[in-house]
Amino acid sequence: MQASLKRANKHIVSHIVLVTWSLIVLFPLWTLVINSFKTRLTIYDNPFWIPKTWNFSNYQTVIRDGDFLTYFKNSFIVVSASLLLVTFFASLAAYALARYKNRFAQAYYFFFIAGMMVPIKIASIKLLELIRALGLLNTIWALPPIYVAMGLPVGIFILTAFIKDLPEELYEAALIDGSSSWNIYRQIVLPLVRPALASTAIYNLIPFWNDLWFPLIFINEEKEKTLLLGVTRLFGQYQTDWSRVLAVLTLSAIPVLLLYLAMSSQFIKGVTSGSVKG
Amino acid sequence: MRNHRTHHLVWLLYLAPALIMYSLFMAYPLLDSLRLSFFTGNNPATRVYVGFGNFEKLFTDPQISQRYWSAFFNTWVFFLIHLVVQNGLGILFAVMLTFDTMKARHVYQTIIFIPTTFAVLITGYLWKLMLNPVWSGDFFVSIGLPFLRHPWLGDTKTALIAVSLVSCWQWLGIPTMMFVAALRNISVELLEAALLEGAGNCKTFFLIKLPLIKPVVGIIAVLTFVNNFNAFDIVFAMTNVNGAPEYATDLIGTLFYRYGIAGQHPIGIPDAGLGSAIAVITLLLLLCVVIPTLKKTQKGGA
Amino acid sequence: MKRLNVVLVSLALLCLMLPITAQPARETSTKAVTLTMGSWRTDDVEQMNRLLSEYKKIAPDVTIRFQPTNPPDYNATLRLQLDSNTGPDLMYARSYGAGLELFNAGYFADCTDIPGLMDNFSASNLAPWQTADGRMFAVPFAAVSHGVYYNKDIFRKEGLGIPNTWEDFLALCTTLKSRGYTPLANGLADEWDILETFFFGLLPNYVGTADQRVRYESGELKLNDRNFVAAYQAMADVAQFCPRGFESVTYNDSQVLFNSQRAVMFVDGSWTAGVYKDASFEWGIFAIPAPKGKHTAICFHPDMAITMNTKTKHPEEAKAFLAWLCTEQGATTASKNLPSGYFPMIKFPIKLENLHANEFLALNAGKETDARFVWPKLMHLYAPMNQAVIRVMKGQISAQAAADSVQALR
């Protein structure tokens, strides 16, 4: 009796806390969107309330001035390709490192993990030379190699830990059958590491999509620009017009937001269903 | 069973794709850049070998070392705020979200993660506007909260905290999700047994949940630490690359950018060698902190 | 598992198909040449495009694309691009040390023998882009001025006139404040603006112009002498007239405050003149007045020059453009299309059409001018001076202490 009353009670507190936080999250977004419909000077009048007159011209101007569709397509291609390769390569490497223990495994593992701690930005000059040598400069394909290299450390980190956690019994049956390592990987490990793959993908999705630095230094050609890069030029152009800047911000936030909202149920399902063990 | 040699070769094959990409596009350029820390000057034409000169400069030159230690201190403050607010709240929310009979948890989860999907530039600009008393000050006064009207980003006492909190707001989704995943892994029977014993939520948390998710707590602390010591974008967006006001928001990340890549804003001349020296020191620091932390929190070591 | 497979496969297919569609732009004809021009002036895209299309009328085979980078990113990205040979063909060069360094590193081409360059500009206008041994590394393009923007309507309404001395200026501000106005729009958040427009704007009033400046540079005069302390004190005195919470007010905020008439005056550079062209009120400019007994001087600063990349693939076309800028006709066309608030530096008298631009230029009449104080030789004091001004305005240190802190680092 006491226990169930306690449980019901705690949930009210939890709800209050979570609702409060949700408001803290949503309020700035509300501010962002409504102010993008105001004009340069009227955003100072009633900052947190809806505009007296709705001004749609900001969006029109912004869409006209910036080639949003192209930017978005480029970002999409770059990020999808990078995530695909990162998760695939990382899972292969993690499988090898977690399962087959030999002298070199520790060394390789630390080699990879070290990459998490260094800002790859400092290698920019050398990277620029490399990309140029490969003939990829000024194209969107300059980015995936960098992003894959960037995302591998975390991916390997997460996946190795996850695979290590898988109980030995899973493999015993396969080993007795004499399955090849590839089959074990494909049929046993891969299905089970779905949540870790999802974690790796989601963890890397954000930095890949929102990266400004490498597109900035690799890409000058308007048609090859990624979303954030294309958009920052507009920041400079509109810097005296906050309402327009906010319209730009809103437009550039929408793609990932929709992507996330579409994927979130996938991710949550993966987290909840894939990891329940006996 | 299998020939040891073939086995080893196959094993390498698994590692190969990752190894190649990583070595070519990360390890090699980074090592080359670390080599730069022993030189000064910005390009092959003006480069001069100085041995440990850059490191000496970093720690003994009065102006540079003052900036370095100030950035170092600020970054630690930045990190500690993240540890408490971002990771602390992350655990709290994760626990709440994983209560058995919690309703609407999908809604909450989705909302919590939204800021993480935004580019830092976006949140930086947005919060910069909202924290600007010229814009929002009158509003706060009108709703009876005049103490909220304050130049948060202009006051050296509050600027760093403000920037840190906004960064926590942005990234909180990630630890929360990871803790949720970890908590879900705790076997249901264990929790039910605890409940039958009469353990309340607090006891269950501290005696069962927390110890079991220790590895994840460790991983997240490490990731937070690493990210904070490389943080740059949020300061870039909210104040400026100099760490205004008066270097109060200067982090190691912005210091590195200023000395190594762009020069003091707006008109300055960088020194790639000095920047690389900063990067080397940071790397050593991270290694010193990360490795012990991982050893202590992971089961059975790496 | 099946769903994951489907998702993965479709993504993979998508990625495989798309390399075919993503290709870098290629030059279609061999005769037409496209040059890129880099700059930090993202505000000027419209005007520069107009200017460059005027050039195209003269050289139809050459298209110049203006590709500015956001000011905070400009230094870093330009450097990286130059380091790796992917820099623009033409680019803006900053004056004095910052530009010189890029020349010494071999990125900027030697422009000394561009026809018209040495002849059509005065020595003092060439100096900011000249090496110690007289070689030029850029073609001077535009100079900027600094002054006080003021709201004529409010002045009229309150029966106020333009102040002639600094003391009058302070009294004017006090009057405005007592009547409920915010006298000044300036803020500290972006840091560089308070230094470059306000402090360096009024500094010549206190320490003199070029001939005095060299005495400070040589060490003969100290940077914490009476004149400097007075200048810092002047900054401390105006802090109370800046908006409430001015520590957080950014450069853009200041512009908006002035533009929306929430502040009466704004000490700023001439380059902002274009922002207010559609203002709903009448505005004008006056020079920052010197204190009684001293002479008002104007900070007229050579700001931008254009140079070419040593590694450009089209040196002939790039050089031709630069040479065009040195001719009277080219310079006049350029000036007509310069963003308002930028002044041509060429010898020929050029009449600007913009009223306010002329107003700015008129301020120079009868007064001495100088570049911003630290630019020629004391660039390493930029940051310390900046911090000193900020701290003295926040009331954290006295004017004497501020001046001392800079002198100590000399």
Side-chain angles (χ1 to χ4, degrees):
Chain A
M1 215 61 226
Q2 189 76 329
S4 68
L5 264 180
K6 250 192 182 167
R7 267 168 66 176
N9 207 13
K10 281 292 172 12
H11 287 344
I12 295 184
V13 171
S14 300
H15 277 288
I16 294 180
V17 169
L18 289 170
V19 165
T20 311
W21 182 256
S22 302
L23 288 176
I24 296 180
V25 166
L26 295 174
F27 182 63
L29 306 186
W30 156 262
T31 311
L32 171 66
V33 174
I34 54 162
N35 280 296
S36 65
F37 288 108
K38 296 184 185 166
T39 66
R40 176 158 60 123
L41 299 176
T42 55
I43 60 166
Y44 286 82
D45 288 338
N46 250 325
F48 296 112
W49 198 237
I50 53 177
K52 287 210 179 69
T53 44
W54 293 79
N55 171 27
F56 295 100
S57 71
N58 286 333
Y59 284 96
Q60 289 169 341
T61 317
V62 166
I63 295 181
R64 185 198 63 205
D65 276 351
D67 202 349
F68 271 88
L69 229 52
T70 312
Y71 300 153
F72 174 70
K73 180 192 75 161
N74 291 337
S75 284
F76 180 77
I77 298 173
V78 167
V79 175
S80 308
S82 307
L83 285 179
L84 212 62
L85 292 173
V86 163
T87 46
F88 185 44
F89 290 175
S91 64
L92 285 175
Y95 174 59
L97 290 174
R99 281 289 307 154
Y100 295 92
K101 294 163 182 57
N102 60 46
R103 292 170 297 185
F104 302 112
Q106 280 256 17
Y108 278 124
Y109 180 71
F110 276 114
F111 180 53
F112 281 118
I113 299 306
M116 282 202 306
M117 305 178 218
V118 193
I120 196 174
K121 273 185 193 170
I122 60 175
S124 297
I125 299 176
K126 197 73 203 168
L127 283 171
L128 205 43
E129 288 175 32
L130 258 177
I131 295 291
R132 192 164 38 106
L134 289 170
L136 295 174
L137 203 61
N138 232 355
T139 70
I140 60 174
W141 298 105
L143 299 170
I146 313 289
Y147 291 158
V148 169
M150 247 172 64
L152 279 173
V154 170
I156 291 181
F157 184 59
I158 294 180
L159 282 161
T160 312
F162 202 88
I163 296 182
K164 270 212 163 94
D165 260 2
L166 297 176
E168 275 303 310
E169 304 90 58
L170 287 170
Y171 302 101
E172 277 169 17
L175 285 173
I176 293 175
D177 284 346
S179 286
S180 72
S181 58
W182 176 251
N183 277 334
I184 297 179
Y185 168 75
R186 202 167 56 87
Q187 288 165 343
I188 299 179
V189 174
L190 208 48
L192 285 173
V193 297
R194 259 186 311 156
L197 287 180
S199 286
T200 307
I202 293 231
Y203 194 83
N204 281 315
L205 167 74
I206 318 287
F208 291 177
W209 185 274
N210 289 334
D211 181 44
L212 178 61
W213 177 254
F214 287 111
L216 190 61
I217 63 178
F218 289 157
I219 300 178
N220 256 328
E221 181 66 41
E222 195 64 22
K223 292 257 171 302
E224 305 282 318
K225 285 188 180 169
T226 56
L227 188 59
L228 204 59
L229 178 63
V231 140
T232 49
R233 178 179 63 83
L234 295 174
F235 285 170
Q237 217 175 318
Y238 301 146
Q239 61 183 323
T240 52
D241 187 347
W242 264 112
S243 66
R244 213 172 271 179
V245 171
L246 293 176
V248 172
L249 292 178
T250 312
L251 277 179
S252 41
I254 285 179
V256 189
L257 193 59
L258 290 180
L259 197 72
Y260 160 66
L261 291 175
M263 259 183 77
S264 76
S265 47
Q266 191 89 336
F267 175 56
I268 292 172
K269 265 199 207 121
V271 167
T272 52
S273 67
S275 50
V276 173
K277 297 191 279 264
Chain B
M1 284 192 289
R2 282 177 193 280
N3 184 328
H4 182 74
R5 198 138 4 118
T6 339
H7 200 213
H8 193 76
L9 215 60
V10 168
W11 182 75
L12 272 180
L13 228 55
Y14 281 99
L15 275 181
L19 209 55
I20 295 174
M21 292 300 279
Y22 181 73
S23 305
L24 187 58
F25 292 103
M26 193 171 221
Y28 163 59
L30 277 174
L31 287 172
D32 191 70
S33 303
L34 293 186
R35 177 182 68 90
L36 274 184
S37 70
F38 294 115
F39 290 77
T40 189
N42 273 322
N43 59 73
T46 60
R47 209 158 270 160
V48 167
Y49 178 74
V50 289
F52 281 100
N54 286 324
F55 295 94
E56 267 184 64
K57 216 196 309 188
L58 199 57
F59 292 117
T60 57
D61 177 305
Q63 266 198 304
I64 296 182
S65 71
Q66 184 196 20
R67 285 278 75 76
Y68 182 76
W69 290 116
S70 146
F72 186 74
F73 173 71
N74 287 345
T75 316
W76 273 101
V77 172
F78 189 72
F79 168 64
L80 287 171
I81 294 183
H82 277 75
L83 209 57
V84 170
V85 176
Q86 180 193 273
N87 295 352
L89 282 183
I91 296 186
L92 181 68
F93 292 166
V95 167
M96 290 178 175
L97 289 170
T98 49
F99 283 144
D100 278 336
T101 53
M102 189 62 177
K103 294 206 173 61
R105 79 169 71 119
H106 290 258
V107 176
Y108 287 130
Q109 271 176 302
T110 311
I111 293 182
I112 289 178
F113 202 74
I114 289 180
T116 315
T117 64
F118 289 174
V120 181
L121 225 62
I122 297 180
T123 47
Y125 265 96
L126 183 58
W127 276 99
K128 183 177 181 166
L129 184 66
M130 291 190 7
L131 291 173
N132 188 339
V134 168
W135 190 69
S136 57
D138 291 337
F139 170 75
F140 288 131
V141 170
S142 66
I143 61 169
L145 296 171
F147 59 86
L148 281 180
R149 170 163 72 165
H150 182 82
W152 301 105
L153 293 174
D155 182 354
T156 48
K157 293 193 279 293
T158 57
L160 184 60
I161 299 178
V163 171
S164 312
L165 289 178
V166 172
S167 177
C168 291
W169 179 87
Q170 163 115 35
W171 298 112
L172 199 123
I174 294 187
T176 309
M177 287 314 207
M178 293 179 89
F179 285 129
V180 163
L183 284 170
R184 284 199 195 294
N185 265 338
I186 298 180
S187 85
V188 178
E189 289 97 30
L190 207 54
L191 294 173
E192 293 203 336
L195 198 60
L196 284 172
E197 298 272 329
N201 276 324
C202 261
K203 254 209 188 134
T204 320
F205 175 69
F206 282 104
L207 294 177
I208 300 183
K209 292 185 181 173
L210 195 53
L212 283 175
I213 62 171
K214 195 163 74 133
V216 181
V217 174
I219 292 181
I220 292 181
V222 162
L223 289 176
T224 308
F225 188 74
V226 171
N227 277 324
N228 289 164
F229 270 80
N230 290 330
F232 168 79
D233 292 36
I234 189 78
V235 175
F236 180 78
M238 288 188 83
T239 53
N240 69 22
V241 122
N242 288 348
E246 299 175 54
Y247 301 109
T249 56
D250 194 19
L251 302 177
I252 296 272
T254 51
L255 188 78
F256 165 73
Y257 182 80
R258 269 208 316 289
Y259 283 170
I261 302 189
Q264 182 97 354
H265 181 67
I267 306 218
I269 300 172
D271 180 349
L274 188 61
S276 303
I278 296 178
V280 170
I281 304 280
T282 310
L283 176 63
L284 290 175
L285 168 74
L286 291 175
L287 284 175
C288 289
V289 172
V290 167
I291 296 182
T293 310
L294 281 181
K295 282 221 160 80
K296 273 183 96 172
T297 58
Q298 302 308 307
K299 344 192 241 260
Chain C
M1 185 59 208
K2 204 161 168 237
R3 181 128 46 125
L4 182 63
N5 264 341
V6 170
V7 171
L8 286 176
V9 169
S10 40
L11 274 179
L13 282 177
L14 208 60
C15 296
L16 287 173
M17 282 196 300
L18 291 163
I20 309 171
T21 57
Q23 281 173 351
R26 287 205 203 92
E27 306 240 321
T28 42
S29 87
T30 45
K31 219 167 70 147
V33 166
T34 306
L35 301 173
T36 51
M37 183 188 287
S39 156
W40 62 83
R41 290 291 303 174
T42 45
D43 304 35
D44 301 339
V45 170
E46 274 180 50
Q47 296 97 324
M48 286 307 287
N49 282 337
R50 265 206 306 269
L51 198 160
L52 294 169
S53 61
E54 290 289 323
Y55 180 68
K56 194 158 159 88
K57 294 186 189 154
I58 312 211
D61 286 340
V62 179
T63 313
I64 307 185
R65 288 213 311 238
F66 187 62
Q67 289 184 333
T69 318
N70 259 342
D73 308 325
Y74 182 69
N75 289 343
T77 50
L78 183 66
R79 237 164 236 293
L80 280 166
Q81 290 174 339
L82 292 173
D83 270 339
S84 69
N85 246 338
T86 55
D89 302 294
L90 294 160
M91 56 204 132
Y92 278 30
R94 297 202 194 263
S95 48
Y96 298 105
L100 185 60
E101 198 253 345
L102 290 172
F103 175 69
N104 287 337
Y107 300 131
F108 290 169
D110 192 330
C111 300
T112 321
D113 53 352
I114 289 188
L117 178 57
M118 299 308 284
D119 301 325
N120 293 339
F121 292 87
S122 70
S124 60
N125 277 343
L126 290 174
W129 292 281
Q130 201 165 31
T131 64
D133 51 355
R135 287 177 298 157
M136 294 295 299
F137 58 84
V139 172
F141 187 50
V144 294
S145 186
H146 310 81
V148 186
Y149 290 75
Y150 72 103
N151 189 322
K152 275 190 178 160
D153 290 351
I154 296 184
F155 266 52
R156 245 196 308 264
K157 180 164 159 223
E158 300 293 328
L160 299 165
I162 295 181
N164 287 322
T165 67
W166 181 254
E167 290 79 7
D168 289 342
F169 177 69
L170 289 179
L172 172 79
C173 291
T174 314
T175 313
L176 281 171
K177 190 158 180 199
S178 66
R179 297 192 193 160
Y181 293 97
T182 306
L184 291 171
N186 293 75
L188 298 182
D190 281 337
E191 295 190 320
W192 66 269
D193 47 332
I194 198 78
L195 182 75
E196 291 188 20
T197 64
F198 211 154
F199 188 63
F200 287 147
L202 59 71
L203 199 55
N205 292 346
Y206 293 83
V207 307
T209 55
D211 47 345
Q212 293 301 312
R213 176 168 46 78
V214 296
R215 295 172 69 194
Y216 283 99
E217 286 167 2
S218 69
E220 187 193 328
L221 293 174
K222 297 268 172 278
L223 295 166
N224 57 352
D225 65 359
R226 233 187 23 219
N227 291 327
F228 257 101
V229 176
Y232 287 108
Q233 187 57 48
M235 296 307 294
D237 291 337
V238 294
Q240 55 171 315
F241 302 123
C242 294
R244 190 174 158 162
F246 73 107
E247 298 94 333
S248 272
V249 169
T250 65
Y251 186 56
N252 292 329
D253 291 336
S254 299
Q255 291 174 4
V256 173
L257 284 174
F258 182 71
N259 215 351
S260 61
Q261 305 203 59
R262 285 146 137 234
V264 183
M265 296 180 283
F266 181 32
V267 179
D268 193 14
S270 57
W271 58 82
T272 324
V275 172
Y276 311 124
K277 69 178 192 298
D278 297 322
S280 57
F281 56 96
E282 227 193 302
W283 55 275
I285 309 136
F286 62 84
I288 308 176
K292 228 183 307 228
K294 283 191 175 281
H295 298 295
T296 302
I298 301 282
C299 181
F300 191 78
H301 183 79
D303 199 26
M304 303 191 302
I306 302 190
T307 183
M308 60 186 230
N309 195 337
T310 30
K311 304 237 181 61
T312 173
K313 296 201 182 63
H314 310 287
E316 290 310 315
E317 288 81 356
K319 244 192 180 152
F321 176 72
L322 291 179
W324 179 71
L325 287 176
C326 299
T327 63
E328 177 168 9
Q329 182 242 347
T332 312
T333 315
S335 306
K336 280 203 168 50
N337 289 303
L338 270 178
S340 34
Y342 284 102
F343 307 108
M345 297 174 72
I346 204 164
K347 259 190 199 160
F348 311 107
I350 296 185
K351 187 125 189 311
L352 295 169
E353 287 166 357
N354 187 300
L355 271 170
H356 291 296
N358 282 329
E359 217 181 321
F360 254 111
L361 270 183
L363 293 179
N364 290 0
K367 302 196 191 70
E368 288 181 28
T369 68
D370 193 17
R372 292 183 198 135
F373 188 82
V374 292
W375 250 254
K377 296 231 168 50
L378 296 171
M379 225 23 202
H380 62 286
L381 293 178
Y382 181 100
M385 236 182 230
N386 202 348
Q387 295 302 315
V389 169
I390 291 176
R391 298 179 69 199
V392 89
M393 286 185 79
K394 284 190 183 177
Q396 290 172 355
I397 53 177
S398 69
Q400 181 69 51
D404 291 340
S405 72
V406 177
Q407 171 61 26
L409 292 168
R410 197 204 173 297

